[in-house]
């Protein structure tokens, strides 16, 4: 089963987007994106909504993990 971080990483890679690009669009640091993707940190609900918008992914898909 994918974690939230793995789902974020997969969606980001499908869009050929770097961690840095995603970080800029979501307005967080690149290290924060790294932590989300590695499972070290879980994004807040507000950040999840921003990520889902940027990655064109329904927030429900991120929250089902």
């Amino acid at each position: 089963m994918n974690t939230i971080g793995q789902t974020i990483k997969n969606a980001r890679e499908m869009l050929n987007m770097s961690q840095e690009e995603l970080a800029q669009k979501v307005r967080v640091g690149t290290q924060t994106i790294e932590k989300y993707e590695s499972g070290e940190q879980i994004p807040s609900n507000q950040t999840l909504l921003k990520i889902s918008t940027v990655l064109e992914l329904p927030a429900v898909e991120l929250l089902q993990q």
Side-chain angles (χ1 to χ4, degrees):
M1 182 200 299
N2 280 353
T3 62
I4 291 173
Q6 190 63 48
T7 303
I8 291 170
K9 182 177 181 177
N10 291 344
R12 176 181 61 74
E13 289 176 345
M14 291 279 288
L15 294 173
N16 293 317
M17 185 182 295
S18 69
Q19 286 181 333
E20 193 174 76
E21 288 174 299
L22 178 58
Q24 288 174 348
K25 290 180 180 187
V26 179
R27 298 179 189 259
V28 297
T30 305
Q31 286 184 328
T32 303
I33 297 298
E34 290 173 13
K35 287 180 181 180
Y36 293 162
E37 290 186 358
S38 70
E40 204 176 311
Q41 189 175 330
I42 296 176
S44 68
N45 287 342
Q46 185 176 1
T47 303
L48 270 176
L49 289 174
K50 288 179 187 175
I51 290 171
S52 72
T53 300
V54 171
L55 296 179
E56 301 170 7
L57 188 70
V60 168
E61 284 190 34
L62 293 173
L63 296 171
Q64 283 179 339
Q65 310 308 318

